[in-house]
Amino acid sequence: NAGVTQTPKFQVLKTGQSMTLQCAQDMNHEYMSWYRQDPGMGLRLIHYSVGAGITDQGEVPNGYNVSRSTTEDFPLRLLSAAPSQTSVYFCASSPRGQTLNTGELFFGEGSRLTVL
Amino acid sequence: GENVEQHPSTLSVQEGDSAVIKCTYSDSASNYFPWYKQELGKRPQLIIDIRSNVGEKKDQRIAVTLNKTAKHFSLHITETQPEDSAVYFCAASIGGSYIPTFGRGTSLIVHP
């Protein structure tokens, strides 16, 4: 199993541009989520999904969209990039989301995004 | 929502010493408390977790304690080694959901 795969690993955007961070997992996990990591701020939840067709907002959802059309994929879209969105983004998955017993998170390698 | 406070932000110890990281949480309905370790440039990985019906859990040199009344939990690392150097994150579930809210992290430095 590849686990959780994120692409791209690095990206530089100009203010106002849009882009999509891709996340795929091959572990048949129901729960998937996106976090951003900023120095001294820990990991903050952006959006999450407990199964295909179900998404919900986390702590810092503004400026981001998600969709979950399949169990495997959970892309994160930046609609109009801003310098405040410069961060490292992590996708994470966990089994059994719909039963609310998600337990351990399995993280991707991260995507470093810089917005100029 | 859930608020998790973590202290200290930086912890420097000598090899062989013990290290303790403390966290508090605000949501009395939280029932799951994981700890993640993140080495420099790597992804976070779960090292130990505890559920609300347990007061203490050990795994070799690592232990976690939970005080639900006071709403705080701690990570204890004994006989620290240089490879323990990393950032450690505590987390508490949002209510009974198991979806974690993370603390801001503790940078542990173990000097040889």
Side-chain angles (χ1 to χ4, degrees):
Chain A
N1 289 348
V4 180
T5 303
Q6 286 181 236
T7 56
K9 288 187 170 52
F10 301 94
Q11 183 71 49
V12 178
L13 290 177
K14 294 181 180 179
T15 296
Q17 288 184 317
S18 62
M19 76 157 298
T20 299
L21 296 175
Q22 301 291 345
C23 177
Q25 53 89 11
D26 61 359
M27 299 174 283
N28 201 31
H29 286 172
E30 293 185 2
Y31 178 83
M32 296 186 74
S33 56
W34 277 100
Y35 287 86
R36 59 176 291 172
Q37 183 174 28
D38 303 293
M41 296 298 292
L43 295 153
R44 291 183 293 171
L45 182 63
I46 304 171
H47 285 286
Y48 66 95
S49 168
V50 296
I54 305 169
T55 63
D56 209 344
Q57 295 182 350
E59 181 185 357
V60 288
N62 292 340
Y64 307 95
N65 271 358
V66 292
S67 60
R68 185 90 181 272
S69 56
T70 67
T71 300
E72 294 78 20
D73 300 300
F74 191 46
L76 179 72
R77 297 182 184 85
L78 280 70
L79 308 172
S80 178
S84 60
Q85 294 179 303
T86 293
S87 188
V88 178
Y89 291 84
F90 285 97
C91 180
S93 72
S94 187
R96 297 178 295 152
Q98 294 200 21
T99 60
L100 302 181
N101 292 316
T102 51
E104 178 178 2
L105 286 175
F106 294 82
F107 285 86
E109 291 186 311
S111 299
R112 183 174 294 275
L113 175 67
T114 301
V115 182
L116 302 176
Chain B
E2 175 70 276
N3 184 45
V4 178
E5 299 284 341
Q6 181 172 348
H7 298 280
S9 57
T10 304
L11 180 58
S12 183
V13 301
Q14 289 296 127
E15 182 176 1
D17 288 350
S18 294
V20 180
I21 303 170
K22 298 182 179 182
C23 291
T24 61
Y25 62 98
S26 59
D27 186 353
S28 57
S30 293
N31 62 1
Y32 176 64
F33 306 91
W35 287 86
Y36 286 81
K37 175 183 179 182
Q38 186 179 30
E39 297 177 353
L40 189 63
K42 301 287 184 65
R43 72 190 83 187
Q45 291 188 299
L46 181 75
I47 55 171
I48 195 168
D49 58 13
I50 191 168
R51 285 167 170 75
S52 59
N53 58 346
V54 176
E56 183 176 3
K57 184 176 179 180
K58 290 183 180 179
D59 183 3
Q60 299 182 338
R61 297 186 295 109
I62 294 173
V64 58
T65 58
L66 171 65
N67 183 328
K68 284 217 71 180
T69 302
K71 289 191 281 190
H72 66 72
F73 55 114
S74 301
L75 178 72
H76 305 253
I77 305 174
T78 58
E79 301 173 20
T80 54
Q81 300 167 3
E83 51 265 40
D84 294 329
S85 296
V87 178
Y88 291 81
F89 293 98
C90 66
S93 63
I94 301 171
S97 72
Y98 285 76
I99 298 171
T101 295
F102 287 86
R104 296 192 175 197
T106 296
S107 178
L108 174 64
I109 303 165
V110 180
H111 299 279

